[in-house]
């Protein structure tokens, strides 16, 4: 590139230099634009949230009030719900994603790999609102009439775990939301895990098979340790999505600003609260509290996504060596 | 080559831009708010469009939303079942007037129980919503329903998850019949519910109640009718157990003393009278007192004037109670308060 | 049991679970599609596309919502794609050695996975409040903000794939750098970039949260970009949560349409990629 520039300089073709400089500046401008965009989002959220943080301070993060009558708001139920539903989503999604990645890399017929892989990736293309209505109309009734009563009967009487499964089976609630979320993030984790598994040098795998390891042993002792960082990166990517998911959760979580021990109870997440209440927050403090929730969500997802990105970067660097 | 692609981009953008029109499209007025009156507003809007060609675009997002959006001037009028006090009205620069009245019912989802098959009273409902009564076969409920076989099913309490005038009317009623509710929870468009699932809009509560066995939810009567949801009889102030319907709503509404209400602020819950339905209320329209879009304001008022004059039959079909003639005159007189920037009223009666 | 037998058994269990997991994954896909088709097909008919959303208990369609979604998606793509392409170009062509480039890449990936409801809040503050009303413009801007990171990512990846020899040959012929990029490199990466745009379109076609507080909704036909405009996701949201049977049928019809369109886009994008991989 520099050679080209010095050539044109010597021939004195100035218009070309100007054109090049203009083009380069334009692209750089837009690149900066992306930075400004993120900055703008943070600033807008922080500005909108300021009245709430000023009034409640750090207490906002641990208060479980949500009282529009008295203008007293706390983020705890929403944060709790976000974390619990995401945790359930991980518990559901990771094993499934894992199994799929193992299947696609070790067990599947070579010509079926692409089609099945594509089908799994199509799961990621389905819009979240579709997961939401599917969850509401198909999954929730099934949970309400079969799974949840069974859980209450079998696990309810147990000493500590019982508290997690108490209460009337609504069909809607934290558990349902977590399960739907799990289905939603499963394709992301599966894709990344599969891609990462494929980076293992065949030599390593063949050597293990050569000394008589079974497939599951190869995965456990060779593939996983090698791809550990990438797998965790993929999981955190899925977690980042689960934390921020709105529509799939809003339909099935039950919209209750309460913290209950039971997973079968209705709850709320930050994004579900925003979706339900933003256009209707009448008082300024209410709106500010909602912005504050948005800000908190942004911070949480930022941290998770940044960590994931760094991990995947390290894997790229290692693979490049 | 580049020029051609560039012009294609520009051409496409220009085409889209060409479809942009000034903020108020001809013949369209927008409103948002209460879900309580939505079924009747939607019917009126359809009929009005056929007659006059003007589209009344109403989004039922809850009374809280209606108040917020009209204050932010993102819509032409707001609708709220919770009337604003004269104080709040003057602070926000709004005027309000009642458009329609109706009743709220307790929708029930119990196997084998049809409409009116179960009776409840205010105190019991308050205790259910406080979480003190958790099962349908609780003695308090059994006492009101001798001879009715009540299943031992957990009560799935359903309330609103959004800012709602329907909630305001309901909690206002509960405050009147239960001092404990008044002290612990209070009344507003959104409260700190002790128990229950949240549904979005009257629609959401109706849908949730319909789908959940053992559910109880408060909804406007038209929603129960349109969705064939069973509801409970309620015991009113005089001790009579009543079925909801036009008769009982009208009996409650007859007590309304509109001329004496400042800014038309009037609540119709727990009214005296043997036939009065305990959870009745009016739904209000909010407009800015000083209009920077006087033409639009005139169209909004034209719509409501037309609905007052021609919409009563449609309202009664859905068991709403239309505003009586005398009140309509008062309301239309109050519209002279809505003026444009120059002090001229935007609407004059023809 | 000998050690060998235990290892064999453990292996069988683990692999069976993998089969089961894949089965579950595929089952979910088929269940969702089956539910959509079963509930959405009854809604199919010319009315679905030609009539606007009806009041509760009325008959109608979702024509205005389809129109709104198509228009806002188109505007968002038209606005977001150039921004994304130019930024991707910067990262691929001029970013080498630059200190800003890794930061931009990082920030872009954050934006890529950021919750879309946050974007909606941002545009509400920026546009809806300033303008004083909801608008399809605000909705389009919110969607464009979601398009940009996707296009940046795919553009950069595709441009990096173009062989250096192609670049060098063009420069050797005396072309200015920008012309090399625009005429030669873009053309070489065109299929990949197009795929990226298609994936971005597929992504925003299904987004609801950003439209909740920007474009809002409109029950009538509206071509006015400066006011609230109906869109498929919002209508599905509203109608599915309602207790009215005709509304629910329309919601399923809309859901089926969106999903089929998005899946079609994804499959075509994938086919394009594999085709371009084969021809490169």
């Amino acid at each position: 590139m520099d050679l080209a520039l010095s050539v044109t300089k010597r021939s004195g073709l100035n218009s070309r230099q100007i054109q090049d400089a203009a083009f380069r500046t334009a692209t750089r401008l837009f690149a900066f634009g992306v930075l400004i965009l993120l900055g703008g989002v943070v600033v807008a959220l922080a500005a909108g949230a300021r009245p709430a943080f000023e009034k409640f301070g750090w207490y906002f993060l641990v208060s479980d009030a949500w009282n529009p009558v008295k203008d007293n708001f706390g983020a705890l139920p929403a944060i709790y719900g976000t974390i619990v539903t995401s945790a359930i989503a991980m518990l559901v999604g990771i094993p499934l994603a894992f199994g799929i990645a193992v299947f696609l890399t070790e067990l599947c017929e070579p010509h079926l790999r692409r089609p099945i892989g594509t089908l799994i990736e199509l799961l990621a293309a389905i819009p979240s609102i579709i997961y939401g209505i599917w969850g509401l109309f198909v999954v929730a009734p099934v949970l309400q009439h079969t799974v949840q009563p069974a859980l209450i009967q079998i696990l309810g009487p147990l000493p500590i775990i019982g508290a997690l499964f108490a209460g009337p089976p609504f069909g809607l609630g934290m558990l349902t939301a977590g399960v739907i979320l799990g289905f939603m993030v499963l394709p992301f984790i599966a894709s990344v895990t599969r891609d990462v598994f494929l980076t293992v040098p065949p030599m390593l795998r063949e050597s293990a098979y050569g000394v008589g390891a079974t497939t599951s042993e190869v995965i456990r002792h060779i593939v996983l340790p090698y791809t550990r960082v990438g797998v965790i990166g993929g999981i955190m990517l899925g977690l980042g999505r689960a934390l921020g998911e709105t529509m799939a959760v809003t339909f099935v979580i039950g919209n209750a600003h309460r913290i209950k021990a039971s997973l079968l109870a209705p709850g709320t997440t930050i994004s579900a609260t925003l979706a339900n209440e933003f256009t209707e927050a009448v008082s300024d403090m209410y709106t500010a509290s909602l912005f504050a929730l948005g800000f908190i969500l942004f911070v949480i997802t930022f941290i998770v996504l940044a960590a994931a990105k760094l991990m995947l970067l390290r894997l790229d660097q290692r693979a490049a060596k | 080559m580049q020029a051609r692609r560039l012009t294609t981009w520009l051409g496409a953008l220009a085409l889209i831009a060409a479809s942009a029109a000034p903020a108020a499209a001809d013949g369209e007025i927008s409103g948002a708010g209460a879900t309580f009156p939505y079924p009747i507003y939607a019917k009126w809007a359809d009929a009005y469009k056929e007659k006059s060609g003007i589209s009344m675009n109403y989004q039922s997002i809850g009374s809280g939303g209606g108040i917020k959006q009209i204050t932010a001037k993102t819509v032409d009028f707001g609708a709220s079942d919770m009337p604003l006090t004269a104080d709040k009205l003057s602070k926000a620069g709004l005027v309000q007037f009642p458009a329609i009245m109706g009743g709220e019912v307790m929708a029930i989802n119990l196997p084998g129980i049809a409409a009116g098959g179960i009776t409840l009273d205010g105190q019991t409902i308050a205790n259910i919503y406080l979480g003190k009564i958790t099962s349908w076969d609780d003695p308090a409920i059994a006492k009101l329903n001798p001879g009715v076989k009540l299943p031992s099913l957990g009560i799935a309490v359903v309330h609103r998850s959004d800012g709602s005038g329907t909630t305001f009317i309901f909690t206002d009623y509960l405050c009147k019949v239960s001092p404990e509710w008044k002290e612990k929870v209070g009344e507003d468009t959104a409260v700190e519910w002790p128990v229950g699932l949240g549904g979005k809009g009257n629609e959401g509560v109706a849908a949730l109640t319909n789908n959940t066995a053992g559910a109880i939810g408060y909804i406007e009567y038209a929603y129960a009718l349109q969705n064939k949801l069973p509801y409970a009889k309620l015991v009113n102030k005089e001790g009579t157990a009543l079925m909801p319907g036009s008769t009982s709503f009208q009996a409650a509404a007859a007590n309304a003393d509109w001329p004496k209400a400042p800014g038309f602020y009037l609540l119709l819950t727990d009214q005296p009278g043997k036939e009065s339905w305990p959870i009745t209320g009016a739904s209000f329209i909010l407009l800015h007192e000083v209009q920077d879009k006087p033409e639009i304001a005139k169209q909004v008022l034209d719509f409501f004037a037309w609905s007052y004059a021609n919409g009563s039959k449609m309202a009664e079909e859905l068991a709403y109670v239309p505003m009586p003639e005398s009140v309509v005159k008062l309301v239309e007189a109050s519209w002279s308060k809505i003026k444009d920037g120059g002090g001229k009223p935007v609407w004059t009666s023809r | 049991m000998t050690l060998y037998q235990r290892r064999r058994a453990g292996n069988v269990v683990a692999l069976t679970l993998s089969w089961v997991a894949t089965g579950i994954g595929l089952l979910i896909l088929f269940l969702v599609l089956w539910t959509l088709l079963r509930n959405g097909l009854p809604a199919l008919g010319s009315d679905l596309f030609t009539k606007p959303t009806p009041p509760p208990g009325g008959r109608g369609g979702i024509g205005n919502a389809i129109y709104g979604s198509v228009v806002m998606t188109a505007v968002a793509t038209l606005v977001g794609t150039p921004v994304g392409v130019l930024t991707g170009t910067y990262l691929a062509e001029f970013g080498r050695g630059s200190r800003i480039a890794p930061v931009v890449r990082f920030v872009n990936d954050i934006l890529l996975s950021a919750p879309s409801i946050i974007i909606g809040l941002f545009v509400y503050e920026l546009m809806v409040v300033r303008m004083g009303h909801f608008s399809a413009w605000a909705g389009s801007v919110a969607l464009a903000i979601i398009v940009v990171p996707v296009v940046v990512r795919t553009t950069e990846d595709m441009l990096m794939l173009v062989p250096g020899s192609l670049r060098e040959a063009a420069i050797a012929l005396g072309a200015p750098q920008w012309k090399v990029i625009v005429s030669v490199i873009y053309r070489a990466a065109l299929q990949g970039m197009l795929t990226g745009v298609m994936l971005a379109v597929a992504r925003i076609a299904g987004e609801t949260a950003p439209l909740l507080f920007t474009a809002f909704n409109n029950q009538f036909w509206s071509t006015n970009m400066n006011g609230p405009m109906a869109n498929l996701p919002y209508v599905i949201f509203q109608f599915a949560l309602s207790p009215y049977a005709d509304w629910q049928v329309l919601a399923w019809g809309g859901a089926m349409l969106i999903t089929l369109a998005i899946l079609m886009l994804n499959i075509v994008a994938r086919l394009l990629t594999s085709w371009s991989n084969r021809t490169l």
Side-chain angles (χ1 to χ4, degrees):
Chain A
M1 293 299 166
D2 288 73
L3 181 63
L5 267 160
S6 54
V7 166
T8 56
K9 264 195 206 145
R10 263 188 267 129
S11 350
L13 294 160
N14 269 311
S15 75
R16 231 183 253 166
Q17 272 177 273
I18 297 176
Q19 288 168 349
D20 272 348
F23 188 74
R24 211 171 35 245
T25 315
T27 59
R28 190 178 282 150
L29 208 73
F30 281 105
F32 265 109
V34 170
L35 292 178
I36 296 178
L37 193 60
L38 188 73
V41 171
V42 176
V43 166
L45 286 178
R50 197 155 61 113
F53 284 131
E54 274 172 356
K55 176 167 176 194
F56 303 113
W58 287 105
Y59 189 61
F60 187 70
L61 290 174
V62 292
S63 159
D64 72 341
W66 194 262
N67 200 336
V69 183
K70 306 204 182 98
D71 256 357
N72 182 17
F73 301 99
L76 198 60
I79 297 179
Y80 175 77
T82 308
I83 294 181
V84 169
T85 49
S86 302
I88 300 177
M90 291 293 111
L91 283 175
V92 168
I94 294 178
L96 287 177
F98 208 65
I100 294 178
V102 167
F103 178 84
L104 285 174
T105 52
E106 300 285 338
L107 301 174
C108 189
E109 284 282 310
H111 12 270
L112 282 183
R113 272 192 200 163
R114 279 287 293 293
I116 297 189
T118 308
L119 284 179
I120 299 291
E121 278 165 27
L122 283 183
L123 270 176
I126 297 180
S128 56
I129 190 170
I130 307 293
Y131 277 108
I133 53 175
W134 180 69
L136 178 63
F137 288 107
V138 175
V139 179
V142 167
L143 284 175
Q144 184 186 24
H145 294 123
T146 37
V147 178
Q148 283 183 351
L151 284 174
I152 296 176
Q153 270 217 314
I154 302 176
L155 295 175
L158 297 178
I160 306 179
I161 316 182
L164 286 178
F165 295 98
F170 287 122
L172 302 173
M174 302 274 235
L175 183 66
T176 318
V179 167
I180 301 290
L181 266 186
F183 291 161
M184 273 200 74
V185 298
L186 130 74
F188 293 99
I189 306 180
S191 286
V192 175
T193 312
R194 188 232 0 225
D195 290 344
V196 149
F197 278 6
L198 287 175
T199 63
V200 177
M203 176 80 91
L204 275 177
R205 305 234 297 280
E206 299 300 324
S207 323
Y209 283 122
V211 298
T214 63
T215 315
S216 63
E217 282 166 353
V218 169
I219 308 250
R220 204 152 49 116
H221 299 288
I222 308 289
V223 175
L224 266 184
Y226 188 86
T227 60
R228 183 181 49 220
V229 173
V231 168
I232 296 185
I235 291 177
M236 298 194 76
L237 212 70
L239 179 63
R241 263 209 87 100
L243 289 169
E245 189 41 59
T246 313
M247 296 320 291
V249 176
T250 311
F251 279 86
V252 295
I253 194 150
N255 303 314
H257 277 276
R258 247 168 281 120
I259 302 180
K260 288 242 158 81
S262 171
L263 293 176
L264 302 186
T268 190
T269 65
I270 296 180
S271 29
T273 306
L274 286 171
N276 273 317
E277 302 179 32
F278 190 74
T279 42
E280 301 142 12
V282 187
S283 70
D284 289 332
M285 191 49 63
Y286 198 170
T287 313
S289 303
L290 290 172
F291 265 103
L293 279 182
F295 185 77
I296 295 173
L297 179 65
F298 186 77
V299 169
I300 298 179
T301 42
F302 184 87
I303 294 176
V304 171
L305 291 171
K309 184 87 169 77
L310 288 171
M311 289 200 186
L312 288 172
L313 260 174
R314 270 177 52 198
L315 184 75
D316 277 342
Q317 286 168 351
R318 201 158 23 122
K321 277 189 215 147
Chain B
M1 183 58 205
Q2 291 75 23
R4 229 190 317 141
R5 237 184 287 150
L6 192 61
T7 45
T8 322
W9 282 129
L10 285 178
L13 270 171
L15 205 65
I16 308 284
S19 71
D26 282 320
E28 182 174 308
I29 47 180
S30 70
T35 58
F36 181 100
Y38 178 53
I40 186 58
Y41 288 174
K43 262 215 155 99
W44 284 345
D46 240 24
Y48 189 64
K49 185 172 167 80
E50 270 200 39
K51 171 146 187 311
S52 70
I54 297 189
S55 309
M56 201 286 282
N57 174 25
Y58 184 80
Q59 290 304 317
S60 82
I61 57 174
S63 304
I67 300 174
K68 178 174 174 126
Q69 297 309 326
I70 186 63
T71 316
K73 292 195 185 172
T74 52
V75 289
D76 301 323
F77 70 88
S80 165
D81 314 318
M82 176 176 86
L84 294 178
T85 55
D87 200 37
K88 288 207 188 110
L89 281 175
S90 56
K91 243 194 359 186
L94 296 169
V95 295
Q96 79 186 355
F97 58 88
I100 193 79
M101 293 183 282
E104 289 180 24
V105 301
M106 303 307 298
I108 309 270
N109 183 340
L110 277 179
I113 305 276
I118 197 172
T119 306
L120 294 169
D121 70 3
Q123 184 72 261
T124 317
I125 299 177
N127 287 331
I128 292 178
Y129 273 78
L130 279 169
K132 290 168 64 173
I133 299 182
T134 53
S135 176
W136 281 107
D137 57 0
D138 191 283
I141 305 182
K143 197 166 74 150
L144 293 163
N145 293 280
V148 179
K149 192 167 179 326
L150 295 164
S152 124
L153 196 55
I155 304 185
V157 172
V158 183
H159 55 73
R160 292 284 289 270
S161 64
D162 50 339
S164 153
T166 316
T167 299
F168 172 73
I169 296 175
F170 179 63
T171 48
D172 178 62
Y173 170 65
L174 289 182
C175 281
K176 285 184 177 159
V177 296
S178 164
E180 193 181 349
W181 179 272
K182 188 174 170 124
E183 194 205 312
K184 286 212 178 116
V185 186
E187 58 180 350
D188 202 333
T189 52
V191 296
E192 201 161 18
W193 299 99
V195 290
L197 280 162
K200 201 165 165 49
N202 264 295
E203 305 92 341
V205 174
L208 278 176
T209 312
N210 203 9
N211 286 327
T212 316
I216 180 172
Y218 57 92
I219 50 178
E220 206 281 327
Y221 184 54
Y223 287 91
L225 276 184
Q226 281 180 333
N227 300 286
K228 305 194 183 38
L229 282 172
Y231 42 78
K233 281 198 199 157
L234 287 190
V235 177
N236 71 0
K237 200 168 179 163
E238 317 279 338
T240 345
L242 289 169
M243 283 286 274
S246 307
T247 339
S248 44
F249 300 161
Q250 277 169 5
N255 287 295
D257 194 357
W258 291 105
K260 288 229 184 75
F264 293 111
Y265 184 97
L266 199 62
L267 299 172
L268 293 169
T269 48
D270 208 33
Q271 289 293 311
K274 258 190 60 168
E275 300 284 313
S276 300
W277 181 255
I279 322 182
T280 319
S283 192
F284 300 83
I285 304 293
L286 298 162
L287 276 158
H288 278 276
E289 205 166 348
V290 179
Q291 285 288 333
D292 33 56
K293 292 188 248 166
E295 255 310 299
I296 301 288
K298 179 174 184 309
Q299 287 183 355
V300 172
L301 295 175
D302 276 341
F303 169 74
F304 283 105
W306 182 90
S307 304
Y308 283 140
N310 302 287
S312 305
K313 191 161 175 302
M314 285 180 255
E316 276 158 10
E317 274 165 14
L318 287 173
Y320 285 97
V321 181
M323 303 307 298
E325 189 60 42
S326 52
V327 186
V328 171
K329 289 212 178 67
L330 278 176
V331 167
E332 290 184 355
S334 78
W335 287 349
S336 59
K337 273 196 284 180
I338 302 175
K339 305 195 167 96
D340 65 13
K344 184 157 139 352
V346 302
W347 190 87
T348 43
S349 59
R350 276 177 245 122
Chain C
M1 245 213 228
T2 66
L3 177 64
Y4 179 67
Q5 282 173 323
R6 253 184 293 142
R7 285 172 56 214
R8 280 282 298 269
N11 191 44
V12 168
V13 167
L15 297 187
T16 313
L17 288 177
S18 293
W19 274 91
V20 170
T22 313
I24 294 181
L26 294 175
L27 183 69
I28 297 173
L29 181 67
F30 289 127
L31 269 181
V32 172
L33 290 179
W34 166 247
T35 312
L36 281 175
L37 286 174
R38 193 173 70 134
N39 291 310
L41 277 177
L44 261 194
S46 64
D47 269 4
L48 193 69
F49 299 92
T50 54
K51 293 233 170 77
T53 48
R59 323 213 69 220
I62 45 177
N64 52 342
I66 297 178
Y67 174 82
S69 276
V70 168
V71 165
M72 284 193 278
T73 306
V75 173
T77 313
L78 285 173
V79 169
T81 306
V83 174
V85 166
L86 285 173
T87 307
T89 309
Y90 173 78
L91 288 177
E93 303 294 323
F94 307 115
R96 251 158 289 179
S98 149
R99 268 168 302 168
I100 310 267
V103 180
V104 174
R105 222 172 264 127
F106 185 76
V107 166
N108 188 60
D109 282 341
I110 301 288
L111 276 175
L112 189 63
S113 306
S116 55
I117 196 163
I118 305 283
I119 311 283
L121 279 183
F122 172 59
V123 178
Y124 177 83
E125 265 303 290
L126 206 66
M127 287 184 75
V128 177
V129 174
R130 299 295 133 97
M131 286 166 74
H133 52 84
F134 297 108
S135 64
W137 288 124
S140 307
V141 167
L143 292 180
I145 297 180
I146 301 182
V147 165
V148 166
V150 178
V151 175
V152 168
R153 192 63 175 301
T154 48
T155 304
E156 189 197 349
D157 288 345
M158 290 301 132
L159 290 181
M160 299 277 250
L161 281 179
V162 175
S165 49
L166 213 61
R167 286 195 183 85
E168 288 159 18
I171 302 223
L173 289 173
Q177 194 181 16
W178 72 269
K179 208 166 164 61
V180 170
I181 295 177
V182 175
S183 299
V184 180
I185 303 184
Y186 278 173
R187 202 187 255 139
L190 193 62
Q191 250 141 19
M193 282 161 56
L194 217 64
T195 311
V197 173
M198 269 198 267
L199 290 175
V201 170
R203 166 99 190 259
I204 58 174
E207 283 284 346
T208 319
L211 297 175
L212 288 177
F213 343 118
T214 49
F216 208 30
N217 197 15
N218 192 329
Q219 71 198 68
F220 298 107
W221 282 109
S222 170
T223 53
N224 180 12
M225 293 291 290
N226 220 352
M229 187 177 269
N231 49 84
L232 269 178
Y234 195 103
V235 166
I236 297 174
F237 182 40
Q238 187 189 19
F239 283 15
L241 284 179
S242 78
Y244 308 111
D246 344 296
W247 269 15
Q248 284 181 355
V249 169
L250 288 175
W252 284 110
M256 182 187 74
L257 284 178
I258 280 195
T259 313
L260 288 180
I262 292 177
L263 290 183
M264 217 51 57
L265 271 171
N266 267 280
I267 294 177
V268 170
R270 251 160 251 282
L271 286 176
L272 257 186
T273 320
S274 66
W275 183 53
S276 73
N277 278 341
R278 262 184 276 138
T279 52
L280 258 180

